[in-house]
Amino acid sequence: MTEENHTALPEFLLLGFSDLRALQGPLFCVVLLVYLVTLLGNSLIILLTQASPALHSPMYFFLRHLSMVEVLYTTNIVPRTLADLASPEPQTISFQACAAQMYVFIVLGISECCLLTAMAYDRYAAICRPLHYSTLMSPQACRAMVGTSWVMGIITATTHSSLIFTLPFPSHPTVPHFLCDILPVLRLASAGKHKSEISVMTATVVFIMVPFSLIVTSYVRILSAILAMTSPQSRRKVFSTCSSHLLVVSLFFGTASITYIRPQAGSSVTTDRVLSLFYTVITPMLNPIIYTLRNKEVTGALRHMVKRQAT
């Protein structure tokens, strides 16, 4: 019987927010609203950066791809979460669907890490290497960086999924989460999870900390260049081009680091769900708002598009 349970593909029971039944209705409304705003905001960024000639630069090329990632990222998770919130009882998810959700989740998460790193390098090249900027950030170089971001995501997702979903699971595993995230699923394995957890966590830390270290290095050099400027007006202008990206990086890497790098002993089911809700639902909504409100070129392109449609 035990062998049969371990060889058959199990269905995972996603607990979601079923222990907070009084909050499921309000949560459904909030998550739905945030999802719609996320789709609208990121779609607007994609449209603006594609249609406006003023936004045909490497920075906005990366921003367009970042918005595409955000749309896919939330769509991979939120519709399923909304369906679960609309149900009074916890819902099951098939083994294949859970593996697919985690695979896409990892691909998009790692791709976003790499895209944010590429955007930091773009700011470094523009501020610290202006004479070589057109060479360093040529269209071919930008396409190569975006392609590398996707390749890194696919490699990481394939490695993680292979390590996790080849492990034996009990016949009716219960995931104390609203999505098939790496650690909650890995901890359900019946055997061999310790070695896999070490491998997965090592890879996760590397793919979070290496891009973050490259971003920090870029901004250290940018800060040095800003401090070397004699004009306060030039300093403000240069810093304003980096502030939106810095804020987005802080939100993304801050929540990711707390979720995946903090000690397991300091974690709880509620904390994990709140953090996951923040970086899977809230952060993708905030990114286009940050880039729109804090960027004169984007707001200018938006006003121009509105005027052109009105005439």
Side-chain angles (χ1 to χ4, degrees):
M1 183 70 178
T2 304
E3 186 178 348
E4 182 181 335
N5 286 347
H6 283 180
T7 55
L9 293 180
E11 281 195 333
F12 292 89
L13 182 69
L14 285 177
L15 288 185
F17 297 93
S18 58
D19 58 328
L20 304 172
R21 292 190 180 182
L23 295 177
Q24 280 189 252
L27 267 175
F28 178 90
C29 296
V30 170
V31 171
L32 177 60
L33 177 61
V34 170
Y35 180 54
L36 294 176
V37 172
T38 300
L39 293 181
L40 178 62
N42 284 289
S43 298
L44 183 60
I45 292 288
I46 294 169
L47 179 62
L48 282 174
T49 54
Q50 185 70 43
S52 175
L55 302 181
H56 287 178
S57 66
M59 180 172 69
Y60 296 111
F61 174 77
F62 292 130
L63 179 58
R64 179 164 66 251
H65 282 273
L66 182 66
S67 291
M68 292 177 186
V69 167
E70 298 288 29
V71 169
L72 295 172
Y73 190 71
T74 53
T75 301
N76 178 48
I77 295 166
V78 174
R80 168 81 203 198
T81 302
L82 289 172
D84 290 346
L85 285 170
S87 173
E89 299 297 331
Q91 299 296 298
T92 58
I93 182 171
S94 69
F95 184 90
Q96 295 88 340
C98 185
Q101 186 187 61
M102 185 187 294
Y103 187 90
V104 174
F105 174 72
I106 297 171
V107 168
L108 297 171
I110 296 299
S111 297
E112 183 164 351
C113 284
C114 296
L115 282 172
L116 290 172
T117 307
M119 294 172 79
Y121 180 73
D122 170 72
R123 292 299 81 208
Y124 160 76
I127 295 167
C128 301
R129 304 282 298 278
L131 298 179
H132 301 89
Y133 181 75
S134 59
T135 303
L136 293 172
M137 302 305 298
S138 64
Q140 295 84 356
C142 292
R143 286 194 291 270
M145 290 180 193
V146 170
T148 301
S149 299
W150 285 102
V151 169
M152 295 302 290
I154 291 169
I155 291 173
T156 309
T158 302
T159 304
H160 279 44
S161 299
S162 300
L163 283 170
I164 294 170
F165 289 98
T166 52
L167 294 171
F169 287 91
S171 56
H172 301 290
T174 299
V175 184
H177 215 300
F178 62 89
L179 76 149
C180 289
D181 203 350
I182 299 169
L183 294 180
V185 173
L186 180 58
R187 290 167 185 162
L188 297 175
S190 304
K193 64 181 177 181
H194 181 66
K195 184 178 178 180
S196 295
E197 188 167 356
I198 292 173
S199 302
V200 168
M201 285 306 300
T202 301
T204 302
V205 169
V206 168
F207 280 108
I208 290 176
M209 294 312 298
V210 169
F212 183 70
S213 299
L214 292 173
I215 291 171
V216 170
T217 301
S218 296
Y219 274 106
V220 166
R221 297 192 175 188
I222 289 170
L223 182 60
S224 299
I226 291 174
L227 293 176
M229 295 176 181
T230 55
S231 169
Q233 186 177 0
S234 298
R235 290 181 181 179
R236 283 194 297 271
K237 183 178 179 180
V238 170
F239 184 75
S240 68
T241 65
C242 304
S243 57
S244 297
H245 180 254
L246 271 173
L247 188 52
V248 169
V249 165
S250 300
L251 287 171
F252 181 83
F253 283 96
T255 52
S257 299
I258 294 171
T259 302
Y260 294 106
I261 299 178
R262 79 185 192 277
Q264 182 178 340
S267 65
S268 69
V269 172
T270 302
T271 303
D272 289 344
R273 286 184 300 181
V274 170
L275 286 170
S276 297
L277 196 65
F278 189 85
Y279 69 75
T280 59
V281 179
I282 304 299
T283 300
M285 177 195 70
L286 294 176
N287 289 353
I289 294 173
I290 291 168
Y291 276 106
T292 303
L293 295 180
R294 298 182 63 85
N295 192 303
K296 292 180 180 179
E297 290 177 326
V298 174
T299 53
L302 179 59
R303 282 196 297 267
H304 180 72
M305 177 179 287
V306 172
K307 288 180 182 178
R308 191 171 59 186
Q309 294 297 321
T311 56

